[in-house]
Amino acid sequence: MPPPSAIDVEAATDTQAATFVERLSINGVPARRSKNRPVSTALAAYASSDMFKSPGHGKPMAKRWDHILNQESKSRKASSLKAAAQLLRNPGIISLGGGLPSSTVFPFDHLEVKVPQPPYFTESETRESGVLARAGKHDAAEGKSLFDIHIAFNYGQASGSVQLLRFVTEHTEIVHHPPYQDWQCTLSVGSTSALDLALRMFTTRGDYLMTEEYSFCSAIETAAPLGVKCVGIKMDSEGLLPSDMDRTLNTWSESERGAPKPFLLYTVPSGQNPTGATQSAQRRHELYAVAQKHDIYIIEDEPYFFLQMQPYTGPDAPDVPPPDSHEAFLDTLVPSLLSMDTDGRVMRLDSFSKVVAPGARVGWITASAQIVERFVRHSEVSTQTPSGISQLVLYKLLEDTWGHAGYLDWLIWLRLDYTKRRDNIVYACEKYLPREVASWNPPMAGMFQWVKVDWRKHPSNRSEDSPEILELEEKIWRAGVDRGVLTAKGSWFRAEADGGTEMFFRTTFAAAGAEDVTEAVKRLGEALRAEFGLDHMNGH
């Protein structure tokens, strides 16, 4: 599999979705809200995306997925206490039923965070011109805000606070406009937790999960203790190959594999971890068609969706002008699988981890009402609800300070920042990595530069036996560590434990500064030259 490349993807319009109802725009949000009932400020208020999204007249209903829900999921009942909490919205009711502590004993009077004002997003600009977003204990009762410490710091519904759920539901409709009627969102405790819950809903011990041949190692490690094995689908520069997925399913032998044909696909379509590959719009349509053919349910994990960058132009070429409007920005994004999902066969995992802060541990899923309801039932007795403190901070940032327009301004700024980071590591690779044995292509999304190493040119002249390749991979990796650079071995991300016949190393340009990234790549180049007996640099 060659390293993925940065490709200039043209935005595709989901014409099927467009024939149903007009897409929600940022300017259309106030009118939408004026038609909906007011947001409840009761404790543990019941919330559903149906309260905030368009009715979807003319759109199809999602397929039913009873046949893939496992017995554990089917047997879950609604939480008695969570259900009873919905009655707290009744005027005049006095609760002696739930174990909700009084906010008078919360040792917090107010919470303040300094946040940037669009378009001044840098650290220094935030320090100079940022605003203090303040949340008091009783802001809702005093008419200052819809969300406060009294509400956020107490127990809540598993679907998350009604205040933040409204924002992410509107955001999902603005960006993706799901083309079926009964889609819903519910908050999660980040995408890793959401994946764990999803696997516990769908799979049983002995099942197989399809994923890219190189996949997010935490996803593989989440599946393994559940007795779920991964089958790797081949990849190219655009990620997962639908043709190989089709071949895998057509030729599946239950007797040889010892398990039924897979019915579940886990994929990271944009800036895939670890390869950095991004599926084009055409690739996603082809993947969805194969899923329809074999009745496959898709878990679309998209933490890097908004880290789609400007096309790579090289060190001496002018930069591509950035999007000049919110609409232009949204049009540059490769359409999501959710945006083409007419069957309700996609569970999309979104997260604030890569676009705001991973420590928030707040994300959300989008799926059909049937699947969301089962997800909520599981959450009620496991994660319960995302951190109220995190939800309040995010609400003060996204709703009370930025609004939808400001959030898209932030995402555009983030796109340009990541473009600079990506360009810097590519420049360093071009300058310091030995092209005789290393190859790479600029990613168009995400955080990772995937480097392929031609181990066949190593002086030891090893065979394609996986254990020998792994030994050499370890040796090269250790040589880098000894020179002061830490990379991630490609074998860590193999979906199947065979180790493969190629060698890769994952590097990231997200955390370290430009000078440190350049120095780290230089050290990696020195390690490769030493291990392969090369004594010169790329043209230097």
Side-chain angles (χ1 to χ4, degrees):
M1 184 196 76
S5 61
I7 54 177
D8 192 358
V9 177
E10 295 182 359
T13 301
D14 184 3
T15 55
Q16 185 171 14
T19 61
F20 294 126
V21 292
E22 185 178 351
R23 186 174 192 149
L24 178 64
S25 66
I26 292 175
N27 293 334
V29 169
R32 167 73 60 78
R33 290 183 176 183
S34 69
K35 297 176 182 178
N36 295 332
R37 64 186 180 187
V39 169
S40 172
T41 56
L43 290 179
Y46 169 76
S48 166
S49 287
D50 290 341
M51 300 160 62
F52 314 119
K53 68 185 185 71
S54 67
H57 297 309
K59 294 182 180 182
M61 297 293 286
K63 287 169 57 72
R64 294 286 302 180
W65 300 102
D66 305 78
H67 59 292
I68 65 170
L69 290 169
N70 61 26
Q71 190 57 42
E72 176 187 347
S73 182
K74 290 178 180 178
S75 65
R76 291 193 181 278
K77 307 297 182 184
S79 165
S80 302
L81 293 174
K82 298 285 187 186
Q86 298 180 29
L87 299 175
L88 292 174
R89 62 186 175 184
N90 292 358
I93 195 167
I94 300 174
S95 175
L96 300 180
L100 282 68
S102 169
S103 64
T104 60
V105 299
F106 296 171
F108 307 96
D109 176 72
H110 67 274
L111 176 72
E112 283 186 341
V113 288
K114 192 171 187 179
V115 298
Q117 293 190 87
Y120 307 107
F121 292 118
T122 67
E123 273 193 336
S124 60
E125 288 172 333
T126 302
R127 194 175 300 114
E128 295 170 6
S129 63
V131 295
L132 286 175
R134 187 182 192 279
K137 183 174 283 189
H138 301 293
D139 286 353
E142 296 168 1
K144 297 177 181 178
S145 178
L146 295 176
F147 208 24
D148 58 22
I149 289 175
H150 169 72
I151 302 167
F153 286 24
N154 220 311
Y155 287 110
Q157 295 289 337
S159 54
S161 67
V162 61
Q163 292 85 351
L164 192 56
L165 182 62
R166 179 177 71 169
F167 187 91
V168 301
T169 299
E170 294 167 346
H171 172 77
T172 298
E173 189 165 358
I174 290 168
V175 175
H176 305 289
H177 194 57
Y180 66 98
Q181 188 174 144
D182 52 330
W183 63 273
Q184 292 185 356
C185 300
T186 188
L187 297 192
S188 70
V189 187
S191 293
T192 301
S193 171
L195 175 62
D196 178 66
L197 265 64
L199 293 178
R200 291 177 183 274
M201 287 168 55
F202 295 127
T203 63
T204 57
R205 189 165 292 275
D207 281 345
Y208 271 86
L209 172 70
M210 291 183 294
T211 187
E212 289 91 348
E213 61 180 323
Y214 290 89
S215 187
F216 180 37
C217 56
S218 291
I220 299 169
E221 291 160 359
T222 298
L226 301 177
V228 176
K229 302 176 183 178
C230 291
V231 55
I233 305 299
K234 293 187 187 315
M235 306 174 69
D236 65 4
S237 62
E238 290 187 19
L240 185 147
L241 283 166
S243 58
D244 191 62
M245 178 174 156
D246 188 41
R247 180 200 61 79
T248 297
L249 293 167
N250 283 330
T251 60
W252 188 270
S253 171
E254 186 169 339
S255 60
E256 291 180 6
R257 293 278 192 170
K261 187 168 74 170
F263 58 87
L264 197 61
L265 169 69
Y266 170 80
T267 182
V268 181
S270 307
Q272 197 258 356
N273 186 358
T275 70
T278 295
Q279 298 170 15
S280 67
Q282 181 62 32
R283 175 63 57 86
R284 297 182 199 212
H285 280 290
E286 292 170 355
L287 188 158
Y288 191 80
V290 173
Q292 287 182 309
K293 174 183 175 182
H294 295 278
D295 198 24
I296 301 301
Y297 194 85
I298 302 169
I299 300 176
E300 177 187 27
D301 190 3
E302 278 284 37
Y304 313 106
F305 182 76
F306 286 110
L307 300 186
Q308 296 182 44
M309 295 169 279
Q310 300 289 92
Y312 179 73
T313 56
D316 301 320
D319 294 335
V320 175
D324 59 3
S325 68
H326 298 138
E327 292 75 16
F329 169 62
L330 294 176
D331 284 345
T332 65
L333 301 174
V334 184
S336 64
L337 288 167
L338 174 64
S339 73
M340 56 189 71
D341 180 22
T342 54
D343 298 338
R345 67 172 64 251
V346 173
M347 176 192 283
R348 179 181 171 88
L349 311 184
D350 275 290
S351 173
F352 290 113
S353 291
K354 303 303 188 293
V355 295
V356 177
R361 304 318 306 148
V362 177
W364 72 97
I365 72 160
T366 307
S368 67
Q370 178 194 17
I371 298 302
V372 167
E373 188 273 337
R374 291 290 87 193
F375 188 94
V376 170
R377 295 290 83 79
H378 193 146
S379 300
E380 286 174 340
V381 292
S382 56
T383 57
Q384 289 214 13
T385 190
S387 162
I389 298 175
S390 293
Q391 290 189 68
L392 182 57
V393 170
L394 287 169
Y395 178 84
K396 300 305 291 187
L397 173 70
L398 300 173
E399 179 68 58
D400 276 2
T401 306
W402 286 353
H404 287 289
Y407 185 41
L408 290 188
D409 288 337
W410 164 256
L411 294 174
I412 293 170
W413 180 86
L414 203 61
R415 173 194 186 103
L416 300 179
D417 183 77
Y418 269 82
T419 297
K420 293 176 184 176
R421 292 173 183 272
R422 185 273 316 273
D423 290 353
N424 178 70
I425 197 171
V426 175
Y427 299 160
C429 289
E430 291 173 349
K431 183 174 182 179
Y432 293 114
L433 296 188
R435 294 182 182 275
E436 299 94 328
V437 298
S439 58
W440 61 92
N441 282 310
M444 67 166 288
M447 297 179 163
F448 306 112
Q449 177 69 69
W450 190 236
V451 178
K452 182 178 182 180
V453 174
D454 188 354
W455 59 268
R456 295 171 181 84
K457 294 182 178 178
H458 194 268
S460 65
N461 195 25
R462 298 179 181 231
S463 70
E464 293 200 4
D465 182 63
S466 288
E468 291 195 6
I469 297 175
L470 293 177
E471 289 173 7
L472 180 57
E473 179 192 53
E474 169 68 20
K475 188 178 180 185
I476 295 171
W477 179 77
R478 182 60 61 182
V481 171
D482 291 343
R483 286 167 175 79
V485 56
L486 180 63
T487 61
K489 293 188 284 186
S491 61
W492 292 344
F493 304 94
R494 285 286 298 176
E496 300 184 45
D498 56 8
T501 60
E502 301 295 345
M503 185 181 297
F504 298 94
F505 292 90
R506 191 195 75 174
T507 65
T508 180
F509 47 87
E515 292 184 1
D516 285 342
V517 167
T518 298
E519 177 61 28
V521 172
K522 181 180 179 181
R523 295 173 184 178
L524 176 61
E526 291 170 352
L528 288 171
R529 286 188 180 83
E531 285 302 312
F532 282 84
L534 305 173
D535 57 3
H536 61 282
M537 226 163 37
N538 295 335
H540 296 268

